Amino acid sequence: MTMITNESGKTYQNTELQKMSERVREIQNNSEVSVKYMQAWEERVIEQQEAREEGRIEGRMEGRMEGRMEAHLIQIRKKLMKGFDAVQIAEALELDKTEVEALIEEIRSDEKVQEN
């Protein structure tokens, strides 16, 4: 078996480790491989940055949609309290009648949960 001493001074008795160590040194000394590694690393960093930005944009869009939905729910609740029906609410808010009906169901189910 071969004795291997790494850069930190630790000695190993393993031919496979020696082969790996030699291969690592070859790669480290190969400028073409180093350039390819750096390019791959930079590409990965750029992809991560783009993914984060995409996530931020999606998050903002979701937040805006939730805000609009909450505003619609508040307006619908107020109109229901005034005795409006789904058609009147849809016309007043310029929303689709089926969407308003679904939101009314959501409001009513929330009210039932709060009662219990």
Side-chain angles (χ1 to χ4, degrees):
M1 248 182 243
T2 307
M3 300 289 281
I4 299 173
T5 303
N6 66 10
E7 293 172 14
S8 66
K10 188 167 183 176
T11 303
Y12 297 93
Q13 292 182 358
N14 186 321
T15 54
E16 288 300 314
L17 185 58
Q18 180 183 9
K19 289 177 188 176
M20 285 177 24
S21 179
E22 288 170 3
R23 183 68 180 132
V24 167
R25 271 189 242 112
E26 287 174 15
I27 290 171
Q28 287 174 335
N29 293 328
N30 186 325
S31 62
E32 185 178 325
V33 171
S34 295
V35 168
K36 286 181 182 179
Y37 174 81
M38 288 304 294
Q39 288 172 339
W41 182 79
E42 288 170 352
E43 287 174 9
R44 195 170 119 235
V45 168
I46 290 169
E47 287 172 0
Q48 288 174 341
Q49 290 171 343
E50 289 172 351
R52 281 189 198 105
E53 183 59 25
E54 188 176 312
R56 284 187 197 107
I57 290 169
E58 287 177 15
R60 277 188 234 122
M61 289 175 58
E62 281 182 29
R64 288 180 184 137
M65 292 295 290
E66 288 175 10
R68 285 187 199 112
M69 185 64 65
E70 188 62 33
H72 288 303
L73 288 169
I74 291 168
Q75 292 173 334
I76 291 170
R77 272 192 194 100
K78 288 179 180 179
K79 300 226 180 288
L80 285 171
M81 289 171 52
K82 291 179 181 178
F84 285 51
D85 65 18
V87 174
Q88 293 169 320
I89 295 171
E91 288 175 4
L93 300 179
E94 298 182 0
L95 297 172
D96 182 63
K97 179 183 158 235
T98 39
E99 182 181 354
V100 170
E101 290 171 339
L103 292 172
I104 289 171
E105 286 300 315
E106 186 177 329
I107 290 168
R108 289 189 176 142
S109 68
D110 285 348
E111 289 172 352
K112 287 179 186 175
V113 169
Q114 289 176 1
E115 288 174 4
N116 295 329

